[in-house]
Amino acid sequence: MSNIGLIIEEKSADIGNFLVGRLLPFREKRAVGPFVFIDHMGPAELKDYQNLDVPPHPHIGLSTLTYLLEGSIFHRDSVGSAIEIQPGAVNWMTAGKGVVHSERTPEYLRHSDKRLHGFQIWVGLPKHLEQSEPTFHHIEADEIPAWEEDGIQYKLIAGEAFGRKSPVPVHSKLFFIEIKTKDAKKISIGKDLYGEAAMYVLDGTVSTDGNSYGSKQLMIAKDTKLCEFDMSENGTVYLFGGEPFDEERFIFWNFVNSDRELIEQAKVNWNDQNHEAFPLVPGDEEDYVPLPKAILNRKP
């Protein structure tokens, strides 16, 4: 019997002037552990006149995780952070009661050809932290735990697994893991995982229970402890998961929370440009993403 309970096909979504592949949320699966939103960006070839420009926009009740495979993004936020993220590093921003941030192509790359590829992820916050003060942390690539066993390369991007712990300051029990192989290998890691688990195939193929799976699919395990599969040569997969929350998390535009009323208030605050609730982003004060009028009066 297959241990794959659900397969989610990557679907295109427009985030302004850039198309991404959306993996979560899905109508039949709103979250995997505390992961409530996963976008696969690219790989995209951007010409000298094309740039990523996501103006200041708000969040509440979540942490964002940005992980790049290629390219560069300059992050600014209302906490005062201003930093470039490059491949292998992690940007971890906790919105809490409210944060605003922008993501743009760095100035020195804006007039040259470039590539962009990576993941944009939202992780729900435990209920007691949904109204916490916003924070930001940048973790360099060489700080992320990486090791090799039996010709298999592992990287623990965030969370805890395999008796190791990533320095990314997560707020709940979770894992975000990269596995790479040069030669075909059998992977058996169920004993090291917990909670719920999903796997995304980036390169190569994965085989399990007599079936093969390729890219652009997120596979949800029925039983995380039975996580075992065969990877093809030159394969790369990512695993997302962890312990789910007791309470449902509602997602409405850029807002995540267990309390619908807090989402309603966030909508009003952003629409009214209430800078006490959502401060301006230093160095990027002239622009912002308006609240879509179509959702102003729609309930989450």
Coordinates of all heavy atoms in Angstrom, one line a residue, residues 16 85 103 144 248 288:
G16 N 2.9 39.7 -8.7 CA 3.1 41.1 -9.1 C 3.7 41.1 -10.5 O 2.9 41.1 -11.4
I85 N 19.9 38.6 0.5 CA 20.0 37.2 0.7 C 20.5 36.5 -0.6 O 20.0 36.9 -1.7 CB 18.6 36.6 1.1 CG1 18.8 35.1 1.3 CG2 17.5 36.9 0.1 CD1 17.6 34.4 2.0
E103 N 10.6 43.1 -1.2 CA 11.6 42.2 -1.8 C 11.9 42.7 -3.2 O 11.0 42.7 -4.0 CB 11.1 40.8 -1.8 CG 10.8 40.2 -0.4 CD 9.9 39.1 -0.4 OE1 8.7 39.3 -0.7 OE2 10.3 37.9 0.0
I144 N 24.3 26.8 8.2 CA 23.2 25.7 8.1 C 23.9 24.4 8.2 O 24.8 24.1 7.4 CB 22.5 25.9 6.7 CG1 21.9 27.3 6.6 CG2 21.4 24.8 6.6 CD1 20.8 27.6 7.7
E248 N -7.1 25.6 14.0 CA -7.0 25.9 12.6 C -6.4 27.3 12.4 O -6.6 28.2 13.2 CB -8.4 25.9 12.0 CG -8.5 26.2 10.5 CD -9.9 26.1 10.0 OE1 -10.9 25.9 10.7 OE2 -10.0 26.3 8.7
Y288 N 3.7 50.9 -1.9 CA 3.2 49.8 -1.1 C 2.1 49.0 -2.0 O 1.6 49.5 -3.0 CB 2.5 50.3 0.2 CG 1.2 51.0 0.1 CD1 0.0 50.3 0.2 CD2 1.2 52.4 -0.2 CE1 -1.2 51.0 0.1 CE2 0.0 53.1 -0.3 CZ -1.2 52.4 -0.2 OH -2.4 53.1 -0.3

